[in-house]
């Protein structure tokens, strides 16, 4: 298996633009997590899906952020409109269940100017 | 409020030496505790997951301990190698309907030749 796949690896956009980050979890995993990491705040859980259903989105910063998982092999994290303070590395991770080992993707480095 | 505190924030050791990283938490009710290793520019990689009943768990040269009474965990690295240079993140999971993960700020370890 190729592991968790994220795209793009790097994204530079201007403030106000829409940004869509993509994730393909490991086949067979039914839990998917989106994280954000910054120097100031460290690693933060944004949202957690189980069997394609959002279970906990309490970490989503505000309404500008939305996440979907239309099927077991694909998820998106969208920011609209983007702001400079959204600049961070966004990780996607998947696991068999919530309490099993999570496998992280390589991350998407987002820069909003 | 659930919190995870890690110490030290950063550490420099010589290759071949041992070191111990600390993690104190106030997460309740406790489900499990995880240690992750994160190389610069990459996603975190799981080292160990420990449940309430586990006192110690090893993964090669990495040994994690858990004292659920004092709510403390440690990660001991034996015979350090240059490749151990990374950030080590302690994450504690709470038993909850959702997925309550609380992250420590990490310890940045540098192993010098």
């Amino acid at each position: 298996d190729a592991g968790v796949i994220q795209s793009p690896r790097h994204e530079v956009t201007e403030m106000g633009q829409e940004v869509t980050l993509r994730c393909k979890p490991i086949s067979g995993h039914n839990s998917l997590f989106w994280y954000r990491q910054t120097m100031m705040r460290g690693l933060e859980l944004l949202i957690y899906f189980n069997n394609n259903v959002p279970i906990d989105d309490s970490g989503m910063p505000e309404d500008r952020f939305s996440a979907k998982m239309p099927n077991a092999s694909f998820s998106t994290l969208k920011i609209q409109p983007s702001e400079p303070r959204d600049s961070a590395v966004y990780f996607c991770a998947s696991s068999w269940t919530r309490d099993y080992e999570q496998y992280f993707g390589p991350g998407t480095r987002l820069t909003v100017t | 409020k659930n919190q995870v505190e890690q110490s030290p924030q950063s550490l420099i050791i010589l290759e071949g030496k041992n070191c111990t990283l600390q993690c104190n938490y106030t997460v309740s009710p406790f489900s499990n505790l995880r240690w992750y290793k994160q190389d610069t520019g990459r996603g975190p990689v799981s080292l160990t997951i420990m449940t309430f009943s586990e006192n110690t768990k090893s993964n090669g040269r990495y040994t994690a301990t858990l004292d659920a009474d004092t709510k403390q965990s440690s990660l001991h690295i034996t015979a350090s190698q240059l490749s151990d240079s990374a950030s080590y993140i302690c994450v504690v999971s709470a038993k909850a309907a959702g997925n309550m993960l609380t992250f420590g700020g990490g310890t940045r370890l540098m192993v010098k030749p």
Side-chain angles (χ1 to χ4, degrees):
Chain A
D1 200 315
V4 176
I5 299 172
Q6 290 187 248
S7 64
R9 293 295 310 276
H10 301 274
E11 177 81 33
V12 181
T13 190
E14 292 183 347
M15 182 175 63
Q17 297 299 307
E18 177 180 294
V19 175
T20 299
L21 311 181
R22 297 173 176 79
C23 174
K24 176 178 168 52
I26 291 174
S27 178
H29 285 186
N30 58 22
S31 295
L32 183 139
F33 309 80
W34 280 101
Y35 294 90
R36 177 172 68 177
Q37 187 174 41
T38 62
M39 287 292 291
M40 290 295 294
R41 300 173 67 93
L43 199 59
E44 304 173 279
L45 176 65
L46 299 178
I47 188 169
Y48 152 59
F49 291 87
N50 188 52
N51 291 324
N52 312 337
V53 176
I55 302 299
D56 181 3
D57 64 355
S58 59
M60 295 287 265
E62 48 198 273
D63 291 346
R64 298 184 298 106
F65 285 69
S66 63
K68 293 183 179 180
M69 193 165 186
N71 57 62
S73 60
F74 184 66
S75 177
T76 60
L77 178 67
K78 185 176 294 186
I79 308 173
Q80 166 65 20
S82 58
E83 298 181 1
R85 60 192 169 118
D86 301 331
S87 297
V89 180
Y90 291 81
F91 288 104
C92 175
S94 70
S95 66
W96 296 109
T97 68
R98 185 194 91 165
D99 288 328
Y100 273 70
E101 177 180 353
Q102 293 183 23
Y103 293 82
F104 282 74
T108 295
R109 181 173 294 278
L110 173 65
T111 303
V112 183
T113 60
Chain B
K1 178 183 176 183
N2 290 337
Q3 285 188 314
V4 175
E5 299 286 342
Q6 290 187 245
S7 62
Q9 282 191 323
S10 61
L11 181 63
I12 301 174
I13 62 174
L14 292 176
E15 185 180 12
K17 298 295 186 183
N18 303 336
C19 68
T20 300
L21 313 181
Q22 299 291 343
C23 174
N24 296 338
Y25 62 93
T26 59
V27 176
S28 182
F30 176 86
S31 176
N32 62 64
L33 183 146
R34 313 159 190 226
W35 282 96
Y36 286 93
K37 178 188 178 189
Q38 185 176 21
D39 293 316
T40 301
R42 306 186 74 128
V45 174
S46 178
L47 295 175
T48 65
I49 299 177
M50 302 179 72
T51 59
F52 184 87
S53 59
E54 295 176 297
N55 299 119
T56 185
K57 205 164 198 179
S58 291
N59 179 356
R61 294 180 297 101
Y62 300 100
T63 300
T65 65
L66 174 64
D67 186 333
D69 292 331
T70 61
K71 298 186 177 181
Q72 296 180 325
S73 176
S74 65
L75 181 69
H76 186 75
I77 304 175
T78 304
S80 61
Q81 299 176 358
L82 298 179
S83 59
D84 293 330
S85 295
S87 289
Y88 292 84
I89 303 170
C90 176
V91 184
V92 182
S93 176
K95 288 181 183 176
N99 181 65
M100 295 185 63
L101 296 177
T102 306
F103 292 81
T107 292
R108 181 143 193 87
L109 173 67
M110 182 179 294
V111 180
K112 290 193 168 182

